[in-house]
Amino acid sequence: MEHGLVNVVVGKFGEYNQASIALNFRKELEWLKQKLRRLRSYLREIDIQSAQNGNAKSWLLDVEELALDAEDILDECAVESKGTNYEISQLSCLCAFSYSQLVFRFKMAHRIKGVKDRLRSIMEAAAELKLFHDLIHSDQPSTSTSRNVKWKRTNLMEKDSKPVGIEPKVKEILRLLDNSAAPVIALVGMGGVGKTFLLQNVFNRVKDKFENSIWLEISQTYSLRELQADLASNIKLNEVVKGVSEIQATELIHERLASTRALIVLDDVWRATEEDNLISSLGLPRGKNSQCKILISTRSRLVCRNMNAHVYEVHTLSEEESWTLFCAFAFPDCHQNQPPEQLEGIARQIEEECGRLPLVVKTVAASLARKRSLTVWESKLGQIRVPSYTKDPIMQVLKLSYDSLPAHLKPCFAFLSFFPENEEIDPHYLINLWAAEGYVPQGEDQLDIGLSYIYDLYNLCLVERTGDIYDQVDKRFKLNDLMLDLAISISRESKCAFSVEETLNRGPSMQTSSRYRRILLGKKSIGDDDVEVMARNRGYSASCLRTLSFSQDIGIQNIPAMLLSDVRVLRILDLSDTNISSLPTCVGNLRLLKVLNLRGTKITKVPKCIRSNKNLRFLDISSCHCLQQLPQWIGELNCLEHLDISGINSMPKGISNLVSLQVLRLDFNNCKLSIEKNEFFQLEDYVYLINLREVSIVIHHEAELKTMEKGRIFAVLVKMRSLNICNASEGHVDECNLPSLPEEMLAMKNLEFLCLDSFAVSNWICGFSNLMQLRLYNCHCAEYPALELMPSLINLELNFNDNCKALPKGFGKRRGFLQLHVFKILNFPVLEELPDLEDGAMPHLEILEVFQCPYLKKVPSGLGLLKSLKECEFIWTGISIPSIREEDEELWNKIKVNNSSESIYLG
C-alpha cells in the first residue's frame, strides 16, 4: 500500500506547484518531492520483503504515515492558496499576507520541517536495516504510478463463476428439498468452502416453484427487527409489522407463512445459542407438515443442532476439482485451460498449498492469471510456503493475493473495510471515497478509472458482483466475509483504519496508532452518550482524521461540535441512515471535505454550514423524508461532481451553476421541472451542465416537449453515459401519436445506457454504436428499427407495446445481435409471433424472458440453436407445453413455462 500512497503524494507535488509558490514554500516542498521520488524507486522491492521481514514491515508503516502527512500538507496549502486575493508578484512583501495567512504559514512551516526531519530519519533507518543498498542513485520517477495506470472501458466482466464440481451437490440438496421429513436443511462448512455459492445455485433452480422465495443474509451482529422487516416486505406484511413488537411480528409472520408454500434462505448464520434460534424468532413454520422449506448456511454445527436441521456437509474440493478450478482462473487464455508444459509442475505445487478451498484456489490462481514467467510462479510458491505465525492460515494465503496487487490497487482494496458486512457497494460512492483519499485521480476520467479498478479487483476474485451482471446501470459489488476480514486486517496493520469494537471509554486499541486516519462506527448501535465520550477522550487525536463514519447507527441523534472542531484534514463524513436532524456549524470549517453523506437522516433543511465547503465533490441528501426543498445557494458548491437528491420534489435554479456535475440522481417519478421563468430549475437549464454523465429526466408539460424537440440539450450533453427519459405529459396517452426525440441525441456518442418511456422510436436510434443497454417502454410501435445491427448492445428490454403483433424478422437473422446476452419481451398483449432464428443469430444470448404475451402460441423456430442459452422463460403466454418437447428435446430441458398460477419448472 505504501508504494501507492507515495505515488499519489509525488503526483500532487506537480499539481500543487502554484500553491507552493503562492505560500512561499516552494523550496521546502521541492526538497520533499525529490526525496520522495528517490525513495519511491525502492519501495516495490521493500514491499515484497515486508511479508517476510518484520523490520521492513515496520519501516513501510513509517513511510505510509509520512506520505499521508505530506499529502495533508499539500492539500491544505492548495485550499489556502485558493483563498488568497493577492498577486504572486507581491508575495515577497510581508504585508501582502493577512494575519490569518501569517498564522497559517507559521504553523505549516513547522509541520513541513517535522516531515522533513522524519524523512531523514526514515532514510537513515533504511540504511541501518540494509533494506536497500544505495539511497543516492535513481532520481528517475518510477514508471508505475497510480496516475499513469492504463485503463480501458470494460463492457463485461472478464470472467464468469466457472463452477466446478457443483452439480452433484446441487442435485443432492434438491433431493433433500423434496423430502417432507427435512423442512430445515443446513449447509455446514468452513469459511471459503463455497456454501453461499452452492446455496445460490440451488435457490435459482427452485425459486419459481414457490409462492414466496426469500433470501436473507445474516451478519454476525444482525438485528432481528431488520430481518423481520425484510421478511415482512417479501410477504406483503411490511405495513402491518411496522407498528408492533418483535413478538407480535413473529406471530404475524408465522400466521402468514403457515399456509404458504415458501422457500426461506438464511445465509451465513453465526450464533449458536438457544435464545438466538432464528427460525423461532422470525416466526418460520418448520413442522413436518409445513409447506415452508428453510435453507441455512453456517460454519457452526451448534447452529444446526439448535435449529433441529438436517445437516449437509460442504467439503473442500477433490484433488481433480481443485486442479480444474485452479487452471480455469490461472490459464483462462490457454487451450482448454491447460497450463504450459514449463509451468505445470509448479502450478500443481501452488494449487496443493491452497488447501482445496474454492475461494483460496480462485483468488491465488487469479493473481497468477496470464503470468508466464517461471520466476514469478516460484516467488509465489515461496511466499505461500513461508511458515505462518498467524492463527489463520487461510487468511495468510489470501493475503498473498493482496501482496501481489499493483501498488495503486492496494489502498483501494484496504479501503473496502469502510463498508459493513453484507452491504452492497455502490461503485459511484466507492469511487468518490477513493478519490477523496487520493487513490483515484480527480478529473474527467475519474469514474472510468475507478470502475477499471473495481473490475480489476473483481477479476482477481477480491470482490463479488451482485445482481444482474449485464445490467449497465445498477452495478453493485460486495465483499465475501473472508475478504472483508482481510481488508480490515490490512487496514489495522497499516494504521490507516480503525473499526471501533472496544468500549469507547478505552480509546484506540493497542494495535493502532493514536494518529489514526479513519473511524468506522457503522452498525455498532452506539448512542449520543458514546459519541460524547469519544469527543472528550484525548486518546482520539482528531488532527489526522480523514474519514469519519457513523453510517446506520440509528441511536445517534446529535453530533457534538467538539468531535469535529479539530478535524482539519477530514475528507469524508458519512452520517447516512442516522437520526440526526442538524449539523454543528463547525462542519463549514472542514476545508478539505470532499464527501458528505446525509442519506436517510432526519434533516429538515440542507444545513447552511455546508455552504462553506467549497471543495465538496459528493453530496447525498436522498431519502431525507423531512427535507422539502433545496436552497438556491446549492449552486455555490461549484466543485460538486455527484449530487443525489432522490426524494426531493423540486430543484432550485442554482443547480444550473454546478458546471462540474457529472452525476445527478433524482426521484424519477416525482421530481418535476418548472415551466415558469422563476427560481426553479427548467429543462433548458441542462445545457449548462456540460459535464453531466448520468441523469433521469421526466417530462410533465407540453412546453418541455417543445424544448426537447429543439435538440439543443442533447447536442451539448456530449459526455452522457446513462440517460433515462420519461414522457409523463398530459398528451402522452395518445398512443398513436407519441412524440419523437431529436436526432441531435446522437451527439452523445459515448452513451452506454438508454431508457425511453412513452416516446416514438426512431430509426436513428441504431446510430448509438457504444450503447450496451436499451430499455423501451410504452413505445406502441407496430415495427421496431433494426436494433439487431447495434454493435455493442448487451441487454435489451422491450416492455409494454399493444400495437406490435410480430417482432421484426431481422431480429433472428444470422450475425444479428452479436453481443446480446439478455433479451426481455414483456407485456405485449397482441404479440402473435417471434422471429425464427437462423444459425449464428444472437450467438452470446444467455437469458431470454417472454412475459405476458397471451396470443403467442409457439416458441420461435431455431431456439435450440442458441448454444449459449442458460435461462429461458415463457410466462403467461399461450404456448402449448407439449409443442416444445416435440420440437426440441434439448430445449425442453432448458426452459421454464408458466401459463397458470402454478409454476412449472422443466429441467
Side-chain angles (χ1 to χ4, degrees):
M1 184 191 299
E2 299 75 15
H3 183 227
L5 288 173
V6 175
N7 283 333
V8 169
V9 176
V10 171
K12 284 191 173 183
F13 277 102
E15 294 177 16
Y16 296 160
N17 188 51
Q18 190 69 19
S20 66
I21 295 174
L23 297 167
N24 281 358
F25 293 134
R26 184 174 186 180
K27 183 177 179 181
E28 291 86 347
L29 295 182
E30 185 64 28
W31 184 90
L32 275 177
K33 176 182 177 181
Q34 294 302 324
K35 296 299 182 184
L36 285 172
R37 284 178 58 185
R38 188 175 299 177
L39 184 63
R40 182 179 60 180
S41 304
Y42 296 90
L43 283 177
R44 184 179 296 277
E45 178 185 349
I46 303 302
D47 207 11
I48 294 172
Q49 293 180 29
S50 67
Q52 306 171 26
N53 185 327
N55 289 330
K57 189 173 186 177
S58 177
W59 182 84
L60 282 172
L61 293 177
D62 289 340
V63 171
E64 180 180 351
E65 287 283 320
L66 178 88
L68 290 167
D69 286 338
E71 184 182 23
D72 288 342
I73 289 172
L74 288 172
D75 286 345
E76 288 184 82
C77 286
V79 172
E80 180 68 17
S81 67
K82 287 181 182 178
T84 59
N85 56 4
Y86 44 80
E87 300 295 330
I88 292 178
S89 59
Q90 297 175 315
L91 294 184
S92 57
C93 301
L94 192 61
C95 61
F97 296 97
S98 67
Y99 174 76
S100 62
Q101 290 160 358
L102 287 172
V103 172
F104 176 84
R105 291 190 71 251
F106 176 78
K107 291 182 178 180
M108 197 57 64
H110 180 71
R111 288 171 61 191
I112 292 174
K113 182 180 182 300
V115 169
K116 289 173 66 176
D117 292 342
R118 286 165 57 197
L119 181 53
R120 290 190 185 98
S121 298
I122 283 173
M123 298 175 80
E124 290 170 1
E128 291 177 7
L129 295 171
K130 298 181 180 179
L131 296 180
F132 38 73
H133 300 295
D134 190 1
L135 277 171
I136 300 175
H137 300 301
S138 187
D139 283 342
Q140 296 301 317
S142 168
T143 57
S144 177
T145 75
S146 64
R147 298 187 175 271
N148 293 326
V149 172
K150 293 182 179 179
W151 59 272
K152 61 180 181 180
R153 284 173 52 210
T154 307
N155 292 349
L156 280 174
M157 304 301 180
E158 296 180 10
K159 68 175 184 66
D160 56 29
S161 56
K162 299 183 175 69
V164 172
I166 196 80
E167 196 60 30
K169 299 173 184 177
V170 170
K171 288 183 177 179
E172 177 61 20
I173 297 171
L174 292 176
R175 186 187 66 78
L176 290 172
L177 280 172
D178 288 333
N179 184 357
S180 59
V184 182
I185 302 167
L187 280 62
V188 183
M190 64 191 300
V193 80
K195 300 184 297 295
T196 299
F197 182 63
L198 177 56
L199 205 54
Q200 287 170 341
N201 276 269
V202 172
F203 184 78
N204 290 334
R205 298 275 186 97
V206 299
K207 62 183 179 181
D208 294 317
K209 288 185 175 182
F210 296 85
E211 295 175 47
N212 292 104
S213 297
I214 303 165
W215 184 291
L216 298 176
E217 292 185 346
I218 317 299
S219 66
Q220 294 187 54
T221 55
Y222 69 81
S223 161
L224 179 61
R225 194 65 178 165
E226 290 180 4
L227 289 178
Q228 286 180 329
D230 288 345
L231 181 56
S233 67
N234 280 280
I235 56 177
K236 299 180 180 179
L237 273 179
N238 49 319
E239 293 300 325
V240 179
V241 167
K242 277 182 181 179
V244 301
S245 67
E246 286 183 0
I247 295 176
Q248 290 173 313
T250 299
E251 294 172 351
L252 288 168
I253 291 170
H254 187 277
E255 183 180 349
R256 173 62 61 87
L257 290 175
S259 59
T260 303
R261 183 166 167 74
L263 175 65
I264 314 292
V265 171
L266 306 177
D267 184 33
D268 208 10
V269 180
W270 287 78
R271 300 181 189 175
T273 57
E274 187 66 39
E275 60 270 21
D276 283 324
N277 187 332
L278 263 183
I279 292 179
S280 299
S281 300
L282 286 172
L284 305 181
R286 59 173 174 178
K288 288 187 177 180
N289 297 322
S290 170
Q291 297 186 66
C292 279
K293 286 290 184 178
I294 303 169
L295 286 171
I296 300 167
S297 70
T298 181
R299 304 181 188 190
S300 170
R301 289 180 175 83
L302 291 176
V303 168
C304 309
R305 188 182 308 164
N306 290 346
M307 295 185 179
N308 195 24
H310 182 97
V311 176
Y312 178 85
E313 297 273 356
V314 183
H315 299 290
T316 56
L317 299 170
S318 68
E319 182 178 347
E320 181 181 354
E321 290 169 346
S322 180
W323 174 246
T324 301
L325 184 64
F326 183 89
C327 291
F329 281 86
F331 308 107
D333 53 340
C334 296
H335 178 63
Q336 296 184 341
N337 301 139
Q338 293 304 303
E341 184 177 349
Q342 73 274 16
L343 292 179
E344 181 172 359
I346 194 167
R348 287 190 178 276
Q349 294 179 65
I350 292 175
E351 177 269 321
E352 187 176 346
E353 296 290 337
C354 294
R356 299 180 185 173
L357 276 173
L359 180 63
V360 179
V361 171
K362 289 190 298 184
T363 306
V364 172
S367 71
L368 291 165
R370 298 182 176 86
K371 292 182 172 64
R372 297 294 178 261
S373 168
L374 183 60
T375 303
V376 172
W377 284 72
E378 289 173 342
S379 175
K380 176 69 75 173
L381 179 60
Q383 294 169 15
I384 292 177
R385 285 181 170 172
V386 168
S388 172
Y389 300 102
T390 67
K391 295 181 180 180
D392 190 347
I394 295 174
M395 194 62 63
Q396 183 70 12
V397 174
L398 290 177
K399 190 174 183 302
L400 294 175
S401 297
Y402 167 80
D403 291 336
S404 64
L405 283 175
H408 65 280
L409 288 181
K410 286 187 175 183
C412 293
F413 175 76
F415 197 89
L416 295 175
S417 61
F418 182 92
F419 295 92
E421 182 183 6
N422 288 330
E423 181 166 303
E424 289 191 338
I425 302 172
D426 179 352
H428 279 89
Y429 188 39
L430 175 59
I431 292 166
N432 275 278
L433 294 175
W434 282 345
E437 288 276 5
Y439 304 151
V440 177
Q442 288 182 333
E444 185 177 324
D445 297 327
Q446 172 183 304
L447 289 176
D448 292 307
I449 297 174
L451 279 174
S452 74
Y453 289 3
I454 294 174
Y455 289 143
D456 286 343
L457 293 174
Y458 174 86
N459 289 319
L460 289 167
C461 302
L462 296 175
V463 298
E464 300 174 0
R465 178 79 190 264
T466 65
D468 182 0
I469 67 170
Y470 301 119
D471 191 331
Q472 299 302 311
V473 179
D474 190 19
K475 303 174 184 177
R476 291 181 180 268
F477 300 82
K478 64 179 291 187
L479 264 73
N480 175 282
D481 53 356
L482 282 178
M483 288 303 174
L484 179 58
D485 290 344
L486 176 62
I488 291 173
S489 173
I490 292 165
S491 295
R492 281 178 174 163
E493 285 183 4
S494 65
K495 302 178 184 177
C496 265
F498 178 59
S499 296
V500 174
E501 294 175 355
E502 304 84 0
T503 304
L504 287 166
N505 288 302
R506 290 165 52 190
S509 68
M510 295 301 292
Q511 297 178 343
T512 63
S513 165
S514 62
R515 292 167 57 81
Y516 55 83
R517 308 289 172 171
R518 299 186 196 123
I519 300 177
L520 309 176
L521 294 171
K523 288 187 175 179
K524 297 297 178 185
S525 300
I526 67 172
D528 288 343
D529 292 342
D530 299 311
V531 179
E532 288 284 354
V533 169
M534 181 178 162
R536 294 193 302 269
N537 194 324
R538 293 186 178 182
Y540 293 94
S541 172
S543 60
C544 298
L545 190 64
R546 289 173 164 226
T547 296
L548 178 60
S549 172
F550 292 97
S551 178
Q552 302 181 47
D553 278 322
I554 58 176
I556 296 178
Q557 302 180 32
N558 179 55
I559 300 296
M562 186 187 305
L563 185 66
L564 300 176
S565 60
D566 191 35
V567 286
R568 63 171 182 263
V569 298
L570 193 72
R571 291 160 169 82
I572 298 167
L573 180 58
D574 189 341
L575 302 172
S576 59
D577 299 310
T578 62
N579 281 319
I580 66 163
S581 57
S582 62
L583 292 179
T585 56
C586 60
V587 169
N589 299 328
L590 304 177
R591 300 197 300 170
L592 299 188
L593 192 67
K594 295 180 180 179
V595 173
L596 179 58
N597 193 344
L598 299 175
R599 184 193 69 240
T601 57
K602 299 295 179 63
I603 60 172
T604 57
K605 59 182 179 180
V606 181
K608 195 170 183 179
C609 58
I610 299 175
R611 189 175 187 175
S612 302
N613 300 125
K614 302 299 185 183
N615 281 296
L616 201 63
R617 258 72 175 182
F618 179 101
L619 177 60
D620 188 345
I621 45 179
S622 63
S623 302
C624 295
H625 301 300
C626 301
L627 181 63
Q628 298 299 319
Q629 62 183 13
L630 297 177
Q632 282 290 349
W633 56 256
I634 198 82
E636 297 177 21
L637 303 176
N638 51 21
C639 287
L640 210 58
E641 296 172 354
H642 184 117
L643 177 61
D644 193 335
I645 54 175
S646 303
I648 298 176
N649 294 333
S650 61
M651 296 186 289
K653 192 79 168 180
I655 287 182
S656 60
N657 295 325
L658 301 177
V659 294
S660 298
L661 203 62
Q662 296 185 26
V663 176
L664 177 58
R665 291 186 175 173
L666 314 165
D667 189 324
F668 188 70
N669 295 315
N670 298 323
C671 194
K672 298 182 180 181
L673 301 174
S674 173
I675 58 170
E676 301 175 0
K677 297 290 184 182
N678 55 22
E679 71 273 17
F680 291 105
F681 191 85
Q682 298 172 284
L683 180 64
E684 60 193 30
D685 290 326
Y686 275 111
V687 298
Y688 301 109
L689 307 181
I690 58 175
N691 289 299
L692 207 58
R693 298 161 54 108
E694 177 185 323
V695 75
S696 297
I697 300 174
V698 183
I699 304 299
H700 289 276
H701 308 285
E702 293 296 327
E704 295 169 356
L705 283 175
K706 293 179 180 179
T707 300
M708 183 167 285
E709 288 171 358
K710 296 176 182 178
R712 181 175 173 230
I713 301 170
F714 303 117
V716 173
L717 302 180
V718 296
K719 297 179 182 179
M720 193 69 69
R721 295 289 180 83
S722 176
L723 180 60
N724 200 337
I725 311 178
C726 175
N727 173 22
S729 62
E730 295 179 0
H732 86 287
V733 295
D734 185 2
E735 298 170 354
C736 298
N737 190 28
L738 289 175
S740 298
L741 289 165
E743 193 169 352
E744 284 82 356
M745 280 185 67
L746 289 177
M748 303 177 181
K749 60 182 180 180
N750 293 319
L751 199 65
E752 296 175 353
F753 168 82
L754 177 62
C755 176
L756 301 181
D757 188 342
S758 301
F759 284 97
V761 184
S762 305
N763 289 327
W764 55 258
I765 198 173
C766 301
F768 286 116
S769 59
N770 290 310
L771 197 69
M772 292 188 282
Q773 187 166 350
L774 176 62
R775 294 177 181 171
L776 300 176
Y777 293 92
N778 300 301
C779 64
H780 304 293
C781 58
E783 286 285 338
Y784 284 91
L787 304 178
E788 72 276 7
L789 301 179
M790 300 179 74
S792 302
L793 199 60
I794 293 169
N795 192 326
L796 175 61
E797 180 176 330
L798 308 178
N799 198 332
F800 196 78
N801 185 335
D802 54 8
N803 282 328
C804 182
K805 294 185 177 182
L807 292 182
K809 296 188 181 299
F811 280 19
K813 292 295 183 182
R814 181 177 178 273
R815 298 191 62 78
F817 292 119
L818 286 177
Q819 299 298 327
L820 198 65
H821 285 70
V822 180
F823 191 11
K824 295 183 180 181
I825 305 161
L826 314 173
N827 302 298
F828 275 57
V830 299
L831 184 69
E832 299 174 354
E833 183 180 356
L834 295 177
D836 293 333
L837 300 170
E838 297 180 358
D839 191 8
M842 306 185 194
H844 298 293
L845 191 70
E846 295 183 4
I847 300 171
L848 175 62
E849 181 180 339
V850 182
F851 175 78
Q852 282 281 25
C853 302
Y855 286 93
L856 185 64
K857 302 300 182 183
K858 70 181 187 70
V859 298
S861 174
L863 196 60
L865 297 173
L866 301 176
K867 302 303 181 185
S868 298
L869 195 64
K870 295 179 181 177
E871 296 180 25
C872 183
E873 294 182 339
F874 290 85
I875 302 174
W876 290 101
T877 66
I879 294 175
S880 166
I881 295 175
S883 69
I884 305 172
R885 191 164 201 169
E886 291 171 6
E887 179 180 341
D888 194 321
E889 184 73 23
E890 182 180 352
L891 179 63
W892 169 260
N893 292 321
K894 281 185 179 180
I895 73 171
K896 302 174 195 173
V897 176
N898 180 8
N899 293 326
S900 65
S901 59
E902 182 179 353
S903 178
I904 302 173
Y905 172 75
L906 306 173

